[in-house]
Amino acid sequence: MSQEDIKKQQTEGIGFFEKYLTVWVAICIIVGIGIGRFLPAIPETLSQLEYAQVSIPVAILIWFMIYPMMLEIDFSSLLKVKERTKPLTLVTVSNWLIKPFTMAFFAWLFFRHIFSGLIGPDLADQYIAGAILLGSAPCTAMVFVWSYLTDGDPEYTLTQVALDDAILVFAYAPIVMLLLGVTDFTVPYDTIILSVVLYVVVPLVAGYLSRKYLIKNKGIEWFENVFLKKLDNVTIIGLLLTLIIIFSFQGDALINNPLHILLIAIPITIQAFFIFFLVYGTGKALKLEHPIAAPAAMIGASNFFELAVATAISVFGITSGAALATVVGILVEVPLMLVIVGVANRTKHWFPN
């Protein structure tokens, strides 16, 4: 297949929302910040709707993002996990033995040395702590969106996320304690458990039951060609509404610290590209198929920012530099991951069909 044929095929497969997604994201960020700035009663009201520092409105919108993708999963194929040992091992090693340490290194390099003339040592330590909290937790929810946008294998994505969630419960605290050099560290386990239930278990069960019921009563052809097509844009709409809510919460912090936001964003961005290309390139060397290699690389490139923000606030305080660093992680993640999605989509021809 020629380069022109590949580009044509990719363009035809991109819907209206996906084609201009970067524009919609930028608009939603501006709208969210505007609401937080000029209509503060809205985020103040929504902020009260939370449990264990997890925003219930955001959780519901993320649920709507993930549910359509869960519907596409043939759950019997999850039994083929033994056939996916290479990508599962690759990503597990990357997420837990490489990613937290490279994030700590990049944060130390930039905040302690390259930006030392712009950031004082105390604030640099807080930014390093926030970056470590962010980089030590691989993505749980949003990776389903990135997988969807690259035509990733939903069964593999679910399996990898489930494995990471299981490891997260036991490994997050020791890794963070090691990198921060602290012994008295409390992880908000209620945040972890609630996030996993809301972002994985609930949409997984709903998707399984819906798929089973509808196929049984309507048939597989109706399910795939009618029902699923009606849900095509639900994921994207959920993403955009989520951004509006998140940035309405964080607008003031972003507006009041423009220079430091840029400085914090630099090592986070470098880390994301480093992990993506490390896993993506290794996947190519291992001859993984693109629907496996793309989500495999994106799981580590993106972060479980809900957990990072909750941990930073509970340990260091809501006005701390650590909390600000995790908030910048949210600001950077979506535009950054859309760029990475574009890279993955333009390089499909690198991988076997």
Side-chain angles (χ1 to χ4, degrees):
M1 184 181 292
S2 67
Q3 292 285 345
E4 291 183 2
D5 290 336
I6 293 171
K7 290 180 180 179
K8 182 179 179 182
Q9 187 181 63
Q10 290 173 358
T11 302
E12 290 175 350
I14 298 176
F16 176 76
F17 276 106
E18 292 94 331
K19 187 175 181 180
Y20 300 103
L21 188 54
T22 304
V23 176
W24 310 139
V25 167
I27 292 173
C28 287
I29 290 174
I30 293 170
V31 170
I33 292 175
I35 289 174
R37 193 72 172 176
F38 301 109
L39 299 171
I42 294 177
E44 286 173 6
T45 301
L46 292 176
S47 67
Q48 296 174 11
L49 302 174
E50 67 174 31
Y51 179 79
Q53 300 184 62
V54 173
S55 168
I56 301 305
V58 170
I60 292 172
L61 287 173
I62 291 178
W63 187 87
F64 276 106
M65 280 190 279
I66 297 173
Y67 172 69
M69 287 170 277
M70 293 298 188
L71 285 169
E72 298 181 17
I73 295 175
D74 179 1
F75 290 89
S76 63
S77 67
L78 294 177
L79 301 175
K80 301 177 182 178
V81 63
K82 292 182 179 179
E83 300 175 8
R84 292 170 174 154
T85 53
K86 284 197 294 186
L88 289 171
T89 301
L90 168 63
V91 176
T92 301
V93 169
S94 170
N95 284 349
W96 299 106
L97 298 181
I98 298 176
K99 177 184 175 183
F101 302 92
T102 56
M103 183 72 265
F105 169 74
F106 287 130
W108 168 82
L109 177 65
F110 280 89
F111 298 139
R112 270 297 189 178
H113 297 279
I114 298 176
F115 298 151
S116 60
L118 300 171
I119 299 175
D122 292 339
L123 198 54
D125 287 343
Q126 292 190 47
Y127 289 164
I128 291 171
I132 288 171
L133 293 175
L134 196 66
S136 298
C139 190
T140 291
M142 293 298 290
V143 71
F144 289 105
V145 179
W146 315 135
S147 178
Y148 164 79
L149 292 175
T150 56
D151 294 324
D153 184 320
E155 288 85 10
Y156 162 72
T157 305
L158 173 61
T159 304
Q160 186 69 64
V161 167
L163 177 60
D164 280 332
D165 284 342
I167 296 173
L168 178 74
V169 174
F170 301 99
Y172 185 67
I175 289 175
V176 169
M177 289 168 63
L178 173 65
L179 292 173
L180 291 180
V182 298
T183 54
D184 185 16
F185 180 78
T186 303
V187 173
Y189 282 104
D190 52 352
T191 300
I192 296 176
I193 293 170
L194 182 60
S195 296
V196 170
V197 169
L198 288 176
Y199 302 149
V200 179
V201 176
V202 171
L204 174 64
V205 172
Y208 171 75
L209 294 177
S210 301
R211 180 185 177 92
K212 187 175 181 180
Y213 175 81
L214 291 172
I215 290 177
K216 179 180 179 181
N217 289 275
K218 295 287 189 176
I220 185 68
E221 185 175 342
W222 178 89
F223 176 78
E224 292 182 345
N225 297 326
V226 179
F227 183 72
L228 289 182
K229 290 188 180 300
K230 290 181 179 180
L231 298 178
D232 274 351
N233 293 322
V234 170
T235 294
I236 306 301
I237 293 172
L239 169 63
L240 300 180
L241 292 176
T242 300
L243 292 177
I244 291 175
I245 292 180
I246 288 175
F247 284 99
S248 71
F249 291 159
Q250 309 296 344
D252 282 344
L254 300 175
I255 291 172
N256 295 334
N257 299 275
L259 176 60
H260 282 207
I261 286 167
L262 175 62
L263 299 181
I264 294 169
I266 290 173
I268 292 175
T269 300
I270 292 173
Q271 160 79 354
F273 278 108
F274 175 81
I275 293 297
F276 171 76
F277 283 113
L278 174 66
V279 177
Y280 201 59
T282 305
K284 182 178 184 299
L286 294 175
K287 299 182 179 179
L288 300 180
E289 295 179 353
H290 188 267
I292 299 291
M298 291 176 184
I299 289 172
S302 52
N303 302 298
F304 188 175
F305 55 74
E306 297 89 354
L307 172 62
V309 172
T311 306
I313 291 173
S314 64
V315 176
F316 297 100
I318 194 169
T319 60
S320 66
L324 178 62
T326 59
V327 170
V328 174
I330 302 174
L331 174 66
V332 169
E333 174 144 330
V334 174
L336 180 60
M337 290 306 298
L338 289 175
V339 172
I340 290 176
V341 163
V343 172
N345 283 334
R346 287 191 296 270
T347 55
K348 287 183 178 180
H349 59 284
W350 290 3
F351 295 80
N353 294 328

